Amino acid sequence: MSLRVLVACKRVVDFAVKPRVNATQTAVDTKTVKHSMNPFDEIAVEEAVKLKEAKQAASIVAVSCGPAKCQEVLRTALAMGADSAVHVECEDDGNGLLQPLAVAKLLQKTAEKEKADLIILGKQAIDDDASQTGQMLAGLLKWPQATFASKVEILESGKKVQVTREIDGGMETVSAPLPAVITADLRLNEPRYATLPNIMKAKKKPLSKLTPADLGVDIKPRIETLKVAEPPVRQGGRIVESVDELVTLLKKDGVV
């Protein structure tokens, strides 16, 4: 098959790091902590690589939008099996400059430039938990979308995609003609580790750079964050001896 798959890769604070609010209470402190690829995007890269290994895709382009350090996650994607990468370099002011709509517009223009047939990205990023970019991207491209995918199958010789997704009542299977946008859920697969030989090979794979201006996209934020604060410290519980005591305490606290 000649499908060209585009995969979005966001650089986020590593999932193992406990985030802290910065001194000005405008955002989470990102300057001194470890970063890595968004886990859901890593799942998206793995799915694209699996499609290529099954000969259901011809090539994979990894894309990341953000500061220069985003090239780290692109090299990881290349080491996992992507063929080439595109870095849309944007200045990072530490206050969430790139919002979902801006990212969706940058991915739209990149997908058109790369002539993508299928776009896979994580269902959400673990830093802002917005879960909006994939849906906005599908709307901008006027492509069908399948969100929260737990299984992806390419059918009819690359003309159609079938996706199994989780819903409140269980599982749902949907199909759509290609091109399409898919967002990856946690249960879609388990990403592989990049081996040392593949990490070395990734250094020789093509990585091109673009700017929002090159793509004709205005990334100016449309939402202003007024204040970011730590959640209140959880109060300790207590053990009661009887239901009557529990009800009395709940009434005293105004809960019932």
Side-chain angles (χ1 to χ4, degrees), residues 211-252:
T211 65
D214 294 333
L215 299 172
V217 175
D218 177 13
I219 61 170
K220 184 179 179 180
R222 288 168 167 76
I223 300 173
E224 180 185 1
T225 300
L226 301 180
K227 183 180 179 180
V228 178
E230 300 257 359
V233 178
R234 186 175 180 178
Q235 300 297 316
R238 58 177 292 187
I239 298 175
V240 296
E241 299 295 333
S242 66
V243 174
D244 291 338
E245 184 183 356
L246 173 62
V247 173
T248 300
L249 290 171
L250 292 175
K251 287 181 177 178
K252 184 179 178 181

Side-chain angles (χ1 to χ4, degrees), residues 153-208:
E153 297 177 274
I154 304 297
L155 306 176
E156 298 179 11
S157 301
K159 295 180 180 179
K160 184 178 180 181
V161 63
Q162 181 171 288
V163 173
T164 301
R165 57 193 300 273
E166 292 190 17
I167 57 175
D168 291 340
M171 307 297 289
E172 177 184 57
T173 300
V174 297
S175 62
L178 292 173
V181 176
I182 295 173
T183 69
D185 200 358
L186 188 65
R187 293 169 183 80
L188 181 57
N189 58 55
E190 184 175 340
R192 69 194 66 192
Y193 288 102
T195 63
L196 183 58
N198 286 337
I199 291 172
M200 299 305 293
K201 291 176 184 177
K203 294 180 179 180
K204 298 180 180 180
K205 291 183 178 180
L207 191 159
S208 58

Side-chain angles (χ1 to χ4, degrees), residues 11-88:
R11 178 178 179 267
V12 299
V13 174
D14 190 83
F15 71 92
V17 173
K18 184 178 180 180
R20 299 290 184 184
V21 176
N22 62 19
T24 57
Q25 291 190 310
T26 56
V28 170
D29 183 13
T30 60
K31 294 182 180 179
T32 59
V33 296
K34 179 184 176 183
H35 285 68
S36 59
M37 189 189 303
N38 177 46
F40 290 102
D41 292 340
E42 199 171 14
I43 291 169
V45 174
E46 173 66 22
E47 191 62 23
V49 174
K50 288 176 67 176
L51 290 175
K52 185 181 176 184
E53 289 175 342
K55 301 189 184 304
Q56 294 182 319
S59 60
I60 304 167
V61 183
V63 183
S64 188
C65 309
K69 290 184 178 180
C70 286
Q71 292 186 27
E72 297 170 5
V73 300
L74 288 175
R75 290 297 179 191
T76 299
L78 292 170
M80 289 175 67
D83 300 291
S84 61
V86 178
H87 176 211
V88 183

Side-chain angles (χ1 to χ4, degrees), residues 10 26 65-66 90-93 95-107 125 127-128 130-134 136-137 140 217-226:
K10 185 176 184 180
T26 56
C65 309
C90 314
E91 292 296 327
D92 183 7
D93 64 355
N95 293 316
L97 172 66
L98 278 178
Q99 295 176 353
L101 180 58
V103 176
K105 288 181 177 180
L106 292 172
L107 292 177
D127 52 2
D128 59 15
S131 189
Q132 296 173 343
T133 303
M136 289 178 172
L137 175 59
L140 292 168
V217 175
D218 177 13
I219 61 170
K220 184 179 179 180
R222 288 168 167 76
I223 300 173
E224 180 185 1
T225 300
L226 301 180

